[in-house]
Structures are given as C-alpha cells and as structure tokens.
C-alpha cells in the first residue's frame, strides 16, 4: 500500500489460507510504519513487544471465516 491506506487484511488472509496451513494464518494484524532496529541493524523484537505492551501498537483484529460462522448461528 501507499502507507496512507490500510491493506486489505481479508484479502491477505484469504491468500495465506490458500497457501499455508490454517493454523498458521494470523488472526491479529499490526500495521507498523517502521521497524525498530538494534545498533547492528537487526529488527529489535524486544522493542516491538515493548511497544505492544505499552499500547503504542494497535492490533487490527480480522475475523476468520469460522468466527463469522459462529456469529451467524
């Protein structure tokens, strides 16, 4: 995407579901504008977790097809 619009999470989920095992398809998404890096240039996973813990990163929940089925019952 161009950075100003959200990606089509449902389309991404559907694509992944067609190519990988169902349990591997994410149910939660987080849109990052940049990735924090360590002093040697690697992605800083600890910093990402800290951002999530502090609520600075918001997750967008994407309903799975099973969740939709349950909601319609």
């Amino acid at each position: 995407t161009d950075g100003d619009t959200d990606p089509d999470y449902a389309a991404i989920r559907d694509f992944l579901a067609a190519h990988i095992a169902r349990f591997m398809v994410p149910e939660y998404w987080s849109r990052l504008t940049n990735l924090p890096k360590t002093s040697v240039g690697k992605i800083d996973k600890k910093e990402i977790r800290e951002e999530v813990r502090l609520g600075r990163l918001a997750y967008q929940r994407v309903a799975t097809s099973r969740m939709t089925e349950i909601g319609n019952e």
Side-chain angles (χ1 to χ4, degrees):
T1 68
D2 61 12
D4 291 331
T5 59
D6 285 333
D8 184 349
Y9 294 110
I12 295 168
R13 184 194 65 233
D14 292 343
F15 174 83
L16 291 174
H19 292 87
I20 62 176
R22 183 176 177 174
F23 73 91
M24 297 175 73
V25 177
E27 290 187 30
Y28 298 93
W29 300 86
S30 181
R31 183 173 181 205
L32 303 174
T33 55
N34 60 14
L35 294 173
K37 298 198 175 153
T38 64
S39 59
V40 294
K42 294 182 179 182
I43 294 173
D44 191 344
K45 295 176 193 171
K46 286 182 184 178
E47 184 63 26
I48 292 173
R49 284 190 293 269
E50 183 67 10
E51 294 290 315
V52 170
R53 186 184 73 74
L54 294 174
R56 294 183 193 147
L57 276 182
Y59 282 93
Q60 177 170 349
R61 185 170 181 133
V62 177
T64 63
S65 59
R66 178 65 184 138
M67 292 169 70
T68 304
E69 290 170 15
I70 292 170
N72 291 331
E73 291 178 351

